[in-house]
Amino acid sequence: MHRIYRHLHTHPELSMQEHATADFIAAELDDLGVENFRCGGTGVVGIIRGGEGPVVAFRADTDGLPIAEDTGLDYASRATGTLEDGTEVPVMHGCGHDTHVTSLLTASRSLLAAPDAWNGTLVLVFQPGEETAAGARAMVDDGLWDRAPRPDIVLGQHVMPHQAGSVRISHGTAMAMADALRVTVYGKQSHGSQPQNSIDPIVLGAHIVARLQTIVSRELDPRTPAVVTCGTFHAGLKENIIPDRAEFSLNIRTFEHETRDQVLAAVRRIIAGEAAVSNAPEPLVEEIYTFPRCFNDHDSAERVEAALRAELGEGNVEVGAPVMGSEDFGHLADAIGVPSVYWMFGGFDLAAGEPPVNHSPFFGPVMEPTLTTGTRAAVAGILAYLGTGAQ
Ligand code: ZN
Ligand code: ZN
């Protein structure tokens, strides 16, 4: 198990470029005698058949991030990769997806070693491109559920800066939907001394950004969580030139489909409205990406929670509130209308100090008990459906 983890951690790859990772996973599955095929480019699917019974799919995401690792670990990554625009960047497993792959491969090994303990079919989904919201869609579009047995339930898990050895599960919404938009507002360029001849896109953009904050504070029910963040704003080259355009990007997080519709409509209304009162041309609003909701079906979450408690002990299982982070995991189940359950497992010794957050250059989970917990949680979740004692 540690051999697998060290290898993956040292050899991270960028989203949708996980070629060596896919080869490595396929070779591990071959070693275990598990039939497997490629799906969605750099995705790998393994199928373990254990006779009549339910079908469970378990997903592990495989991609790294453009981050220069600074953990100081002896197996730290020095890998580089190339972004779509050609920029060479350092690459790191800064979100811990290497722990997910390791846990699922190890769980598969232990289930194969105990064939009498379970009946049914296990579909292993090693999904690329989680960080760009591209991978789940790519696998589904490549016929994932036509080529693999259709699951009754889809399970998944993620390492977090919680106490290693513990897991956290939510009932209902587990993670938010996310929408990213790129906005270009157009003005009329002029000398900085002659504002009367301009339509100032910076003033326009500033009004939009300020007014967008009233969606959450003035339009939504205060009991409804949502986030509207403007993460970039670029305009102009020189202080005495009023430029002809401003560009900014927005990140929107919501829990409910109705809230998402309401917020996105308000964003578009405010952008168009502010442009109109500025006498500016119609702005351009482009979608950068959208993450689906990650929703834990209530009955299924209860079943998995009970299995996790039995396996890991009452004190190591916590029911948590949904988080504002996002995941494309939900698409795998939504695409075929089956339930899913997703939980978090800890990766750090909190007694050693405040842990780094996911996507930090310092995100180096302790190997144990992190990997053993991820493996045991995966086995417990799977056996909650396939175990010979499960109803
Ligand atoms: Zn992640
Ligand atoms: Zn991440």
Side-chain angles (χ1 to χ4, degrees):
M1 173 161 66
H2 293 177
R3 168 192 64 83
I4 293 173
Y5 180 69
R6 281 172 174 268
H7 177 88
L8 291 168
H9 193 84
T10 311
H11 300 93
E13 294 173 291
L14 292 171
S15 301
M16 303 312 284
Q17 301 179 29
E18 307 89 337
H19 298 284
T21 306
D23 288 346
F24 178 83
I25 291 166
E28 290 293 321
L29 293 174
D30 288 343
D31 258 11
L32 292 171
V34 173
E35 64 176 280
N36 62 85
F37 61 88
R38 304 299 170 103
C39 183
T42 42
V44 181
V45 179
I47 301 171
I48 306 180
R49 297 179 201 272
E52 286 293 303
V55 180
V56 173
F58 203 107
R59 179 271 217 161
D61 42 4
T62 65
D63 51 334
L65 285 160
I67 299 172
E69 179 159 356
D70 197 11
T71 57
L73 294 164
D74 66 349
Y75 50 91
S77 163
R78 288 193 196 82
T80 58
T82 308
L83 296 176
E84 266 177 29
D85 67 2
T87 318
E88 188 165 327
V89 289
V91 187
M92 170 194 182
H93 265 300
C95 203
H97 298 179
D98 45 355
T99 68
H100 310 167
V101 174
T102 305
S103 298
L104 187 54
L105 284 170
T106 312
S108 303
R109 178 182 293 276
S110 79
L111 288 165
L112 285 162
D116 294 340
W118 60 280
N119 298 305
T121 303
L122 175 59
V123 180
L124 311 168
V125 180
F126 295 95
Q127 182 214 298
E130 183 280 323
E131 297 289 354
T132 54
R137 200 167 293 276
M139 292 188 85
V140 169
D141 291 350
D142 196 21
L144 169 62
W145 301 132
D146 299 322
R147 300 163 68 189
R150 283 196 170 215
D152 300 296
I153 180 96
V154 184
L155 305 177
Q157 59 180 355
H158 203 299
V159 69
M160 285 285 168
H162 306 158
Q163 178 60 46
S166 72
V167 300
R168 196 175 290 183
I169 186 166
S170 318
H171 293 226
T173 299
M175 297 183 87
M177 287 175 277
D179 290 275
L181 301 175
R182 185 184 302 112
V183 183
T184 309
V185 294
Y186 303 100
K188 184 174 164 211
Q189 186 158 331
S190 175
H191 194 285
S193 67
Q194 294 166 25
Q196 74 277 20
N197 295 322
S198 78
I199 296 172
D200 189 335
I202 296 179
V203 173
L204 165 57
H207 274 282
I208 292 174
V209 172
R211 192 169 184 105
L212 287 174
Q213 298 312 311
T214 65
I215 297 172
V216 173
S217 69
R218 302 290 86 176
E219 296 197 32
L220 289 185
D221 184 319
R223 293 163 296 187
T224 304
V227 176
V228 179
T229 290
C230 175
T232 66
F233 193 109
H234 299 287
L237 294 169
K238 198 171 184 307
E239 81 293 336
N240 64 356
I241 304 171
I242 295 171
D244 74 341
R245 68 188 57 200
E247 293 178 350
F248 54 93
S249 59
L250 303 175
N251 193 263
I252 295 151
R253 308 277 171 148
T254 50
F255 283 160
E256 304 296 335
H257 291 291
E258 308 79 69
T259 316
R260 174 176 182 264
D261 293 346
Q262 187 185 349
V263 171
L264 286 174
V267 165
R268 288 181 183 274
R269 189 194 76 236
I270 286 168
I271 291 168
E274 289 291 345
V277 296
S278 302
N279 211 16
E282 194 180 334
L284 176 66
V285 181
E286 299 165 282
E287 187 181 284
I288 305 173
Y289 60 72
T290 179
F291 277 93
R293 185 167 69 155
C294 181
F295 185 81
N296 285 349
D297 170 71
H298 288 276
D299 291 349
S300 313
E302 269 179 23
R303 188 165 176 164
V304 170
E305 183 195 335
L308 293 171
R309 287 188 187 282
E311 173 64 26
L312 300 171
E314 290 289 332
N316 291 318
V317 180
E318 197 184 317
V319 173
V323 298
M324 275 293 171
S326 302
E327 247 292 350
D328 69 347
F329 167 78
H331 186 64
L332 297 171
D334 285 352
I336 46 171
V338 300
S340 58
V341 181
Y342 190 80
W343 63 86
M344 317 294 179
F345 63 104
F348 293 85
D349 178 10
L350 301 191
E354 194 179 327
V357 294
N358 300 61
H359 295 203
S360 148
F362 307 108
F363 194 81
V366 292
M367 269 200 262
E368 292 302 345
T370 304
L371 296 172
T372 299
T373 305
T375 301
R376 290 173 67 193
V379 169
I382 292 162
L383 290 183
Y385 291 87
L386 302 187
T388 42
Q391 70 276 59

